[in-house]
Each structure stands twice: as C-alpha cells, then as structure tokens.
Amino acid sequence: MQKATFAGGCFWCMVTPFEELPGIGGILSGYSGGHVENPTYEVVKTGATGHYEVVEITFDPQLFPYERLLELYWQQIDPTDDGGQFHDRGSQYRTAIFYHNEAQEKLALEAKEKVAASGKFQKAIVTEILPAQTFYPAEEYHQGYHKKNKDDYKADRAKSGRDEFIDQHWNGE
C-alpha cells in the first residue's frame, strides 16, 4: 500500500470521489504543509498556520495506479484558483499535490503539464506540486463527514459551485 496526499479545497468534498473504489484502502481528512505542530481545525481555518486541508489516501497501486488517482484529483478542482476553491476562500483551501516519492513527483508534474496543455483553462495552472510533509489527521467529526451529516454536506456542496465547475470543465472526460 502507498499514500497519496491531495489538497483540493474543503477536505469533505475531496473524500467522496475516491472512496469505495477498488484498491483504495482508506481516506483520512487532515492538514499538511504548515508550520504548527498538531494543528486543530479552529487554528487551521484562520489561514495563519500555513496548512492546507488535505486528504490522505491509502491505495494499492496494483489495483488503482497513482496515475488514475491524479486523473480523478484534477477533475475535482479549479487548478487556476490560488485563493481557495469555490466558495471556500483562504490559503488553507489552496490546491496542491504532496508527493511521497520521486515517481509520484514525476507523474504529478507530467499530469500538471497535461492539464495546462489541455486547453480547458484560460488562466495558468497554479496547483502546487510539493514534497509530502507531516500529515495531521483532522478531528474525528471531520472524518466521513459526508456520511455523518448528509444533509449539511449536500447543502454545503450544492452552494459551493464545485459541481457546476466540474460539469463545465470536466464532463466527457
């Protein structure tokens, strides 16, 4: 099993595209990339810690290759927005791929170039490709939030604009 770590805005919205796929062993919501040890949601949401909201995915590359994770990842985000994602604004909601080894770094850079060359976006692709840093799991109430709080999750996602963006830029992929 390997790990993949993706920042794509609100971590609640980044769980559902990857769960229940063959080869996915687990998905944790959490924080990475900041300068504060053991951050809490209350501190991270201020944007002052440097952390991103991320999902850490444990996967079997034989059943679900990293390249396929990358394809799914790009189709969940607006890679041109450096101020957050959709209605979630702030540095904690920026996009990034945190690579865990040289092979992941190479594949992530290639995937970023492919997205940039696709012609889907008029603006520059600003999603960062960064070395993996310490991952801090989010508080328990954030884990599986979309299942524990279905109505709140659906309402938040509906007002975010994420699904409309995905339909406009990625449908048919």
Side-chain angles (χ1 to χ4, degrees):
M1 298 295 273
Q2 294 184 15
K3 294 199 182 298
T5 306
F6 300 131
C10 174
F11 47 38
W12 299 340
C13 292
M14 292 300 293
V15 173
T16 55
F18 299 99
E19 71 180 352
E20 299 176 15
L21 295 172
I24 303 300
I27 304 172
L28 286 174
S29 296
Y31 318 108
S32 192
H35 53 59
V36 173
E37 288 187 29
N38 301 308
T40 64
Y41 179 72
E42 292 302 317
V43 175
V44 171
K45 77 178 186 178
T46 69
T49 68
H51 288 91
Y52 296 72
E53 284 196 9
V54 299
V55 288
E56 183 181 77
I57 302 167
T58 304
F59 69 102
D60 180 340
Q62 298 301 314
L63 296 175
F64 207 90
Y66 187 69
E67 295 90 333
R68 181 70 184 117
L69 287 172
L70 289 169
E71 288 173 18
L72 275 174
Y73 167 74
W74 288 107
Q75 294 176 22
Q76 309 310 311
I77 65 168
D78 175 354
T80 68
D81 188 349
D82 63 0
Q85 286 291 282
F86 312 105
H87 74 155
D88 294 311
R89 310 312 300 159
S91 61
Q92 67 275 27
Y93 298 115
R94 293 170 294 159
T95 60
I97 297 169
F98 290 91
Y99 59 86
H100 291 264
N101 55 48
E102 287 181 17
Q104 285 187 359
E105 178 185 22
K106 179 180 183 287
L107 291 168
L109 289 168
E110 289 171 358
K112 182 176 179 176
E113 289 174 18
K114 184 178 177 183
V115 170
S118 72
K120 291 182 180 294
F121 303 99
Q122 301 304 311
K123 296 190 257 177
I125 305 303
V126 297
T127 300
E128 297 180 88
I129 311 298
L130 302 168
Q133 299 178 32
T134 303
F135 171 81
Y136 298 99
E139 296 79 357
E140 182 55 35
Y141 71 92
H142 288 297
Q143 307 303 333
Y145 186 88
H146 63 292
K147 292 179 180 176
K148 297 175 189 172
N149 301 282
K150 289 179 184 179
D151 292 339
D152 289 343
Y153 170 74
K154 285 180 182 177
D156 185 67
R157 183 158 180 135
K159 72 179 180 182
S160 75
R162 184 182 292 262
D163 291 328
E164 292 83 355
F165 182 89
I166 291 169
D167 286 344
Q168 180 181 1
H169 289 88
W170 296 107
N171 257 355
E173 286 288 316

